[in-house]
Amino acid sequence: MTDLTPVTFTATDLDALAGHEGRVAVIVTPEGKLEQSARRVNRLTKGAIQRFVDSAAFEKVKAGQVTTFDWPVGLAAESLDVICLARNHSVEDARKAGAALGKLRGGKAALLAADGARRVAEIVFGLVMRDYDFSAHKTDAEAKDTGVSIMCSKPEDAEAAAGPLMAIADGAFMTRDLVNEPANVLTTTEFANRLADMKDLGLEVEVLEEADLKRLGMRTLLSVGQGSDSPSKVVVMQWKGGGKDDAPLALVGKGVVFDTGGISLKPAAGMEDMTMDMGGAGVVAGTMRALAKRKAKANVVGLVGLVENMPSGNATRPGDVVTSMKGDTVEIINTDAEGRLVLCDVMWYAQERFEPAGMIDLATLTGAIIIGLGHENAGVFSNNDDFCNTFLKAADKEQEGAWRMPLGKAYDDLLKSRIADMKNIGGRPAGSVTAAQFLQRFVKPETPWIHLDIAGVASVKSATALAPAGATGWGVMALSRLVADGYETE
Ligand code: BES
Ligand code: MN
Ligand code: ZN
C-alpha cells in the first residue's frame, strides 16, 4: 500500500527555518500581504519576498499559484516557494496550492511555514494527494522517506484539523492503489485479502465465497466469473459508527478485476485499461477506509462484487439465460455488459439484508458515459431528487465532477427480451442510460438510490488537480463528505 507522505507539525523556529535543506514554502496574499511566517523568511532572505510582491511580475500571479526562487540568499534551502493565497481563499485554492507544492517537491524534504490551522490542513491535504506515486512495480524507485514539515503558530490545532483530511487521503490512496494494480496481482482473492486487512481499523469484514453466493442465488454475478480461474467473491464491510438502530447507507461497487469482455471479446487495442474495471469496488473500499480512519459517526455498509470476466470453455455464452437473486431472468446478449450482472445481485442482497436508508452503486459501467461526459464528470442517475441533490452538492464541494443523467420508461422498454424478463443490453443509443435502467429494475421503490457511472473518471491518462496520471480516487472525497453532511450526528 502506498504510504501517505509523512507530515510533521512543529512550532515556528527561526533557526530551523534558516537551516532547512530542501524546499521552504511561505504564503502571501494576492494583494501582496506577507503572512507572519513569510515576514520572517523575508527577513532571513534580506527582503527577497517583499521585492517580489512589489515587482511587476507579481501582478500576473494568481491565487493558488506557486512561484519558486532557487538557492535563496539567507536560507540553507535549495529553493523558496512563494504560494499566493487570498485570506478568504476557497478550499479548492488551498488544495491546489498544496498540490502545486507536492508536485514541485519531487520527493525532497519540504517545509511549509504558514499560519491558520484550517488553511494549513487544506494545503497539506492537497500536497499529500498530489504527492501520490504508484511505484510498487518500479525496481529502481527511490525510497521516498523525506516528508514534509509544517511550521505554524499552533501546530496542535493544524494537526487536529488535518486529521480527518489525512484519513480521506489514506482512503483515496487505497482506491488508487487498487485501481492501478495489474490484474495478475490484484486477483479476486488478493482484493478480498486487502479488504479483510481493514478489520484492523475496526471494520467488520465478511468474505462470501462461491458456495455462499450459490446458496444466496447470485447467479447473474456468478455467470460473469464462471469463465475465470479466479473465484468470484462478495465482500461486505460494515462501519458501525452511528446509532444502534440507524439504517445504514449502502455503498455497492463493481469489482471486475479484469474485463476481457468474455465470449463477446473486446478488441486488443486498449484492453489493458480494463485492469481498472474494479474501480467502483475500489472507491467503496477507499471510502470505507476513510470513514473508519476518521471514525465517522454514521452507519455505512460497503459491498463489492469481485469477479473476473474471461472467455473459456466454461464461460457464459451470448444467448444464455440466467436467474438473478431477485428471481428475475436475464437473457445475456453481450457478455461484455457484465458489470450490471454483478451489481444487480449485490444490490439486491444489500437491500434484503440491510434495508439501507439509501444505496449508492459505483461502477466503471459503460464506455458510452465517456462519450457523453468525457473524463470531467461521472454520470449520476437517481430515483430520488433529494438524495441525488445532496450527493451532487457534496461532489461539488469536493470538486469531483458529477452530472445528473435521465432515467425513464422509454429507456427501460429497450431492455425487453423475447424469451426472458429482460436483456442485458439495450443497444447503442443511450447506452449508459439503459445500463442504469437495468440496475433500477433491482432497486426497491422505497430505496433512495444513486448510480454513479465512473468509467470516465476512475482512471485518466493525464494528471488532474489532485492526482498524477492513472487512478484518481474519484468519489472518496465526495462520499466521505456526503456521510459527514448527511448522516453523521453529534
Ligand atoms: N468495463 C466496461 C466499460 C468501460 C469502458 C469502462 C471503457 C472503462 C472504460 C463495460 O463492462 C463494458 O464493456 N461495457 C460495454 C457495454 C456494451 C456491451 C453494452 C461498453 O461500454 O461498450
Ligand atoms: Mn464489459
Ligand atoms: Zn466492465
Side-chain angles (χ1 to χ4, degrees):
M1 166 96 195
T2 305
D3 291 325
L4 293 189
T5 309
V7 182
T8 52
F9 296 83
T10 55
T12 310
D13 171 344
L14 269 190
D15 289 339
L17 246 181
H20 177 81
E21 293 172 13
R23 310 184 72 99
V24 168
V26 295
I27 298 175
V28 302
T29 71
E31 301 77 38
K33 287 241 179 332
L34 276 56
E35 268 198 348
Q36 189 188 21
S37 39
R39 286 202 297 276
R40 290 183 168 139
V41 174
N42 184 53
R43 279 196 291 277
L44 289 170
T45 58
K46 305 198 186 343
I49 299 175
Q50 190 61 50
R51 277 186 286 122
F52 168 55
V53 300
D54 290 342
S55 75
F58 187 72
E59 282 162 29
K60 295 203 187 77
V61 173
K62 293 189 195 72
Q65 201 173 319
V66 178
T67 310
T68 299
F69 302 87
D70 289 329
W71 305 110
V73 169
L75 300 180
E78 64 178 66
S79 50
L80 170 61
D81 299 316
V82 179
I83 308 169
C84 179
L85 201 56
R87 258 194 228 294
N88 59 346
H89 62 81
S90 61
V91 164
E92 186 191 353
D93 280 346
R95 290 181 183 180
K96 276 194 182 144
L101 285 178
K103 203 168 130 194
L104 285 169
R105 197 176 82 88
K108 296 213 178 79
L111 186 152
L112 169 68
D115 307 317
R118 201 59 244 159
R119 68 152 40 161
V120 166
E122 294 293 353
I123 294 171
V124 168
F125 178 67
L127 190 159
V128 169
M129 286 290 278
R130 186 62 182 78
D131 211 28
Y132 174 86
D133 177 30
F134 186 69
S135 55
H137 305 296
K138 297 267 197 196
T139 54
D140 63 351
E142 288 163 39
K144 253 202 335 192
D145 52 359
T146 53
V148 177
S149 318
I150 310 296
M151 233 176 229
C152 50
S153 43
K154 289 184 180 142
E156 307 80 23
D157 291 1
E159 189 163 7
L165 290 169
M166 290 303 106
I168 292 163
D170 197 282
F173 274 33
M174 178 178 203
T175 303
R176 290 175 182 176
D177 279 355
L178 290 167
V179 170
N180 281 326
E181 202 71 273
N184 61 326
V185 176
L186 192 72
T187 59
T188 53
T189 302
E190 170 67 14
F191 202 142
N193 288 345
R194 291 194 191 185
L195 300 183
D197 284 346
M198 291 206 290
K199 281 180 197 161
D200 295 349
L201 301 175
L203 283 161
E204 279 175 32
V205 185
E206 293 157 66
V207 181
L208 307 182
E209 304 291 348
E210 278 184 354
D212 304 312
L213 305 180
K214 262 187 205 134
R215 200 159 7 84
L216 287 162
M218 293 202 197
R219 306 232 166 237
T220 60
L221 182 146
L222 287 165
S223 77
V224 176
Q226 74 189 37
S228 170
D229 285 347
S230 293
S232 300
K233 294 169 195 278
V234 169
V235 182
V236 182
M237 295 161 272
Q238 295 188 68
W239 175 251
K240 295 176 176 168
K244 212 172 164 339
D245 301 320
D246 293 350
L249 170 69
L251 305 176
V252 178
K254 167 181 173 181
V256 177
V257 294
F258 196 77
D259 181 12
T260 64
I263 298 298
S264 312
L265 194 64
K266 286 182 180 294
M271 201 200 278
E272 67 279 9
D273 290 342
M274 286 303 114
T275 57
M276 55 78 106
D277 209 22
M278 33 52 65
V283 176
V284 172
T287 302
M288 296 309 294
R289 185 178 183 87
L291 296 176
K293 281 233 153 191
R294 70 174 184 74
K295 300 205 171 6
K297 295 192 187 73
N299 295 336
V300 183
V301 53
L303 303 100
V304 296
L306 306 178
V307 302
E308 184 176 41
N309 189 19
M310 285 287 213
S312 92
N314 193 38
T316 294
R317 293 160 286 261
D320 284 2
V321 174
V322 293
T323 305
S324 65
M325 181 182 174
K326 180 185 174 194
D328 291 358
T329 58
V330 181
E331 183 187 8
I332 298 175
I333 302 296
N334 189 321
T335 63
D336 197 11
E338 84 296 344
R340 61 200 76 180
L341 300 172
V342 174
L343 286 171
C344 70
D345 273 346
V346 183
M347 285 164 55
W348 192 256
Y349 176 71
Q351 293 167 94
E352 290 278 279
R353 177 167 168 193
F354 295 106
E355 295 177 7
M359 176 167 69
I360 302 179
D361 77 81
L362 296 105
T364 50
L365 202 63
T366 66
I369 203 71
I370 310 177
I371 304 301
L373 299 175
H375 301 285
E376 310 307 319
N377 285 288
V380 182
F381 302 81
S382 181
N383 65 355
N384 183 304
D385 290 347
D386 286 343
F387 189 34
C388 188
N389 288 333
T390 311
F391 174 78
L392 290 172
K393 212 176 274 172
D396 184 58
K397 273 193 196 171
E398 299 295 328
Q399 291 287 298
E400 289 184 317
W403 196 263
R404 190 164 183 187
M405 303 282 286
L407 289 166
K409 182 174 183 306
Y411 297 112
D412 189 69
D413 286 345
L414 298 171
L415 295 171
K416 279 184 185 147
S417 160
R418 184 174 57 82
I419 63 166
D421 295 339
M422 70 195 87
K423 297 187 293 186
N424 78 326
I425 58 168
R428 263 172 72 78
S432 305
V433 187
T434 52
Q437 288 303 155
F438 182 96
L439 296 179
Q440 191 173 7
R441 287 176 175 233
F442 299 86
V443 177
K444 298 183 180 184
E446 68 270 22
T447 309
W449 161 72
I450 297 170
H451 158 56
L452 300 172
D453 191 336
I454 62 170
V457 296
S459 183
V460 296
K461 300 285 179 203
S462 44
T464 54
L466 295 185
T472 60
W474 184 99
V476 174
M477 298 191 301
L479 290 170
S480 176
R481 162 71 47 203
L482 176 78
V483 171
D485 290 355
Y487 293 84
E488 289 190 63
T489 43
E490 272 317 306

